[in-house]
Amino acid sequence: MKKITSLIALALLISGCGGKTAAASAAPSGSSEPAKYACRLVDYYPYADPVPASEAIEDSYYDSALFAGDSRMGSLYLYGTHKNAQVEYVTSLNLFLIGTTEADNHEDGVTLEQILQETDRQNIYLMFGINEIRNTESYFDGWIEQYQSVVTEILNHNPDASIYIILTYHPDSISGLEEPELSEHLQWINSRLVSMAEQNYLYYLDTDNGLDDENGTIKDEYVADGLHFTPEGAHAFEDYIATHIVRRETYVKEVCD
């Protein structure tokens, strides 16, 4: 797991507290202080929970941000205000075709998978799943395995990247899938995304807790067709992201034995 690997690497660089070696450091004769043996970095972040609200991040953060996904993510390309962010998407993307479908706004044949494999941006946001929403529950077992392979490829190239998984927000409506089936299918997707995030030490965003109305669906004024963001919705989405940032220094602490 990338967090564990990073912490181990960092711990190896720390040769004990205050620059001491990792070997036992005996206390002076007659001292009542216990000996200190080693220091390590411990990550206290609760990966089973959605990213909590935080102070808004500064604009320079987007110099290192990549937003990738389907046409919902494309709203940031169309209406986003952070021009230093990189936004890549595929309209009507099926995750199983991420390696063969050319990314929108590219004419060189590059796929979204290639972009993710090669990026050195350190804050990567992923939003997939709405185009597969009508499938049966068993379908999503293979779908989450495909998602896992995408994450693994990213981390193999960019092991220190922070990956944010964006849960599938509840659309106001979607053709061919009525309630209560729509909510049930969303649960199939999102429960698997949460489990993947926890198991891989990834962050996840639950935008239903912030962009939804009293009925638990995306606010009408945020979407043009019940699903895709309007300019107002894209700006609200941007604001949500900006105020849900994990600052590692808050959760990663040095512990000395």
Side-chain angles (χ1 to χ4, degrees), residues 78-212:
L78 296 172
Y79 311 122
T81 61
H82 301 288
K83 300 307 180 184
N84 48 337
Q86 181 181 357
V87 182
E88 305 286 356
Y89 67 101
V90 174
T91 301
S92 301
L93 174 68
N94 181 310
L95 191 59
F96 287 102
L97 302 178
I98 191 172
T100 58
T101 307
E102 183 181 53
D104 285 35
N105 304 305
H106 286 267
E107 297 180 354
D108 55 0
V110 67
T111 67
L112 194 55
E113 182 178 53
Q114 288 174 304
I115 293 169
L116 290 170
Q117 287 175 344
E118 297 170 5
T119 185
D120 289 322
R121 293 214 168 201
Q122 290 300 296
N123 298 291
I124 300 173
Y125 291 78
L126 304 176
M127 180 188 279
F128 305 123
I130 200 63
N131 295 304
E132 296 95 333
I133 190 69
R134 299 174 185 83
N135 284 285
T136 62
E137 182 175 11
S138 60
Y139 172 91
F140 291 105
D141 292 334
W143 180 84
I144 200 66
E145 290 178 2
Q146 172 69 4
Y147 206 137
Q148 174 69 67
S149 70
V150 172
V151 168
T152 299
E153 289 172 349
I154 294 171
L155 293 177
N156 283 341
H157 169 74
N158 198 358
D160 293 325
S162 292
I163 297 180
Y164 290 79
I165 303 298
I166 303 177
L167 301 190
T168 297
Y169 58 79
H170 198 304
D172 186 56
S173 63
I174 192 166
S175 61
L177 196 59
E178 303 296 330
E179 295 291 0
E181 286 79 14
L182 175 54
S183 292
E184 183 179 30
H185 286 219
L186 289 169
Q187 176 62 24
W188 293 344
I189 288 179
N190 287 335
S191 62
R192 287 166 171 79
L193 291 177
V194 171
S195 294
M196 184 183 70
E198 183 178 8
Q199 292 166 13
N200 290 269
Y201 300 91
L202 311 175
Y203 310 126
Y204 73 90
L205 298 178
D206 183 6
T207 54
D208 275 340
N209 292 312
L211 303 182
D212 59 336

